[in-house]
Structures are given as C-alpha cells and as structure tokens.
Amino acid sequence: MGRSFIRSFGVFVLIISASLAFMSFVVANSSGSLLRVSAPDTVPVIQFTANEGDARLSLYEKLALDSLGLSHEAFEYALKGHDQLQSDGKIEKDNLLSIIDFSLPSGKKRLFVIDLESEELLFNTYVAHGRNSGKDIATKFSNKPNSFKSSLGFYVTGDTYTGKHGYSMRLNGEESGINDRAEGRGIVMHSAAYANENSIEERGFIGRSLGCPAIPKNVHRQIIETICHGSCLFMYSPDAYYLSHSKLI
C-alpha cells in the first residue's frame, strides 16, 4: 500500500513538472487561442519597410543583377550603407551607387555602376584587386600601408587628377580601421592595361594592382567622370571580419 502510494505520487509529480514546462512555452492571447513563443532570432538581418524593400528588390530583378553575378547580399548591404552616408550628408551624387563584388573572380565583370533614380545599370566591367589579396579571387584584405591588398567597405569618390596611371580618381575611405587609410596608401581608381579580356585569355584572370581598383582603359574615363565628386562606392566580400566590424551595414 505504501509503495503504491509513493509510486502514484511520483507519477503525479512528473505530470505536474511536464505541464509547467509546456506552459512556459505557451501563452494565451485575448481570444483564448494559444500562441507559441519562439526563441529570438540572433542572426542580423537587413530590414526595410515593406514598400521600400519591395522597390529595392524589384530594382535588383529589373536590372537582372543576379544574372550578371552580383550577389543579393552585396546589393542590399550597398543600399544600406549608401542610405547611411546620404543621411550623414557625405554624398552629393546620391542617385549613384557603385558596387565592386569581390566575391566574384576577377575574370568576371564585377564593377557595377547603378543609377538609382533612373533605375539603370550604367556600367558593368572588370576591376582588379590588390596583388596580395589573392590570385583570381580576393580573399585577404588590409588597411595597412604597403600591404598591397584591397580594402573593403564604403568610400566616397573624390576629385580627379592626372598621375602616373593617367586620368585617375581619389577615394575617401569612410570606415575607421577598415579603409580610412586609403588616401595615405594612395588607393585610387585608375586604368590599367592588365584589366581586360586579353589578360583573362592569357592567364585565366586579370592582372592585379597594388591595392587600387584598376579598371579597363577603354571605359575608365567615362566611369570616373560619371561617379567622381561625391558618390558612393562599396567594395564587398563575405569577409567575416568586415561583416562583424562595419558600422554601415
């Protein structure tokens, strides 16, 4: 009799404990129906309003950027940083957005210049990365002088000048500790004979720079004259350090 009572009491305690555990994950709403409470999502996501998000996604699809190789992540991060720079009053040509997608190999056209107002892709061409960033694909980045590596992040385009690489454009790095030494490192946009399809045919990838985003000679003047003097340029890679340290994405 005593053992039977103890056994029954033990079962009763287990049932009560299980019920309390279940109730901790369930709450009742005002209509009496049950709502399950899920754990908070700790993965950072890019958030837009419904209309804004739909419009931006529509632009990505309208310009067929996916078919050209531009990652959706690069596009959305670029928009977010562009909007922040615009809000901070740092860009004058806020209709323009230039993206370099370093997740693509150098044999692909990975520079995209987009007019957000007219919803046009103005340019899509090759662009070199720093010689110490990698061979065909850039995987290593630096903000240090003489590293000969590319620097990721957001830039505001500066003025133009004629130097040892011909017609060129200065770049102002906007991210502290990531690309803010661009001016001191001499990181500019210029043309290069090695940034073309002939290099791809010869070696399978275009030549590399000392860290500058070098572009083909046949389009460099048109591109520079379009985006110079205060537009947004974003150099992207799914680099863990950059994604966890940037304050603009």
Side-chain angles (χ1 to χ4, degrees), residues 141-192:
F141 307 94
S142 177
N143 193 35
K144 296 179 180 179
N146 301 316
S147 65
F148 302 146
K149 295 178 182 179
S150 298
S151 296
L152 297 176
F154 288 89
Y155 297 77
V156 173
T157 61
D159 60 355
T160 62
Y161 68 97
T162 301
K164 64 179 180 180
H165 296 293
Y167 190 62
S168 307
M169 177 182 68
R170 293 184 173 88
L171 298 173
N172 303 306
E174 295 297 325
E175 303 204 58
S176 178
I178 295 175
N179 62 18
D180 58 341
R181 293 182 177 179
E183 183 177 1
R185 293 178 60 201
I187 301 301
V188 301
M189 180 173 282
H190 61 78
S191 67

Side-chain angles (χ1 to χ4, degrees), residues 50-123:
N51 291 337
E52 182 184 13
D54 291 344
R56 293 179 191 274
L57 180 59
S58 175
L59 178 59
Y60 181 81
E61 295 175 345
K62 177 181 178 180
L63 299 180
L65 297 176
D66 179 61
S67 67
L68 297 176
L70 178 64
S71 75
H72 196 279
E73 184 179 57
F75 181 70
E76 289 199 344
Y77 281 140
L79 287 169
K80 187 174 182 181
H82 168 278
D83 290 351
Q84 185 60 55
L85 291 175
Q86 181 182 13
S87 177
D88 293 341
K90 292 187 175 182
I91 54 177
E92 298 178 19
K93 296 180 177 179
D94 55 13
N95 63 306
L96 296 177
L97 175 60
S98 301
I99 306 171
I100 296 175
D101 189 349
F102 280 140
S103 69
L104 296 172
S106 66
K108 299 291 185 181
K109 294 181 178 181
R110 52 188 182 171
L111 169 61
F112 303 80
V113 179
I114 302 167
D115 189 319
L116 299 174
E117 288 185 1
S118 65
E119 299 188 341
E120 294 178 275
L121 178 62
L122 303 180
F123 301 98

Side-chain angles (χ1 to χ4, degrees), residues 21 43 48 81 97 104 109 130-131 194 201 205 226 234 238:
V43 179
F48 299 111
L97 175 60
L104 296 172
K109 294 181 178 181
R131 71 185 187 193
Y194 53 74
E201 293 174 359
F205 55 91
T226 298
F234 177 49

Side-chain angles (χ1 to χ4, degrees), residues 227-243:
I227 69 174
C228 65
H229 300 302
S231 72
C232 175
L233 168 64
F234 177 49
M235 299 191 196
Y236 167 80
S237 172
D239 178 77
Y241 179 86
Y242 175 73
L243 295 179

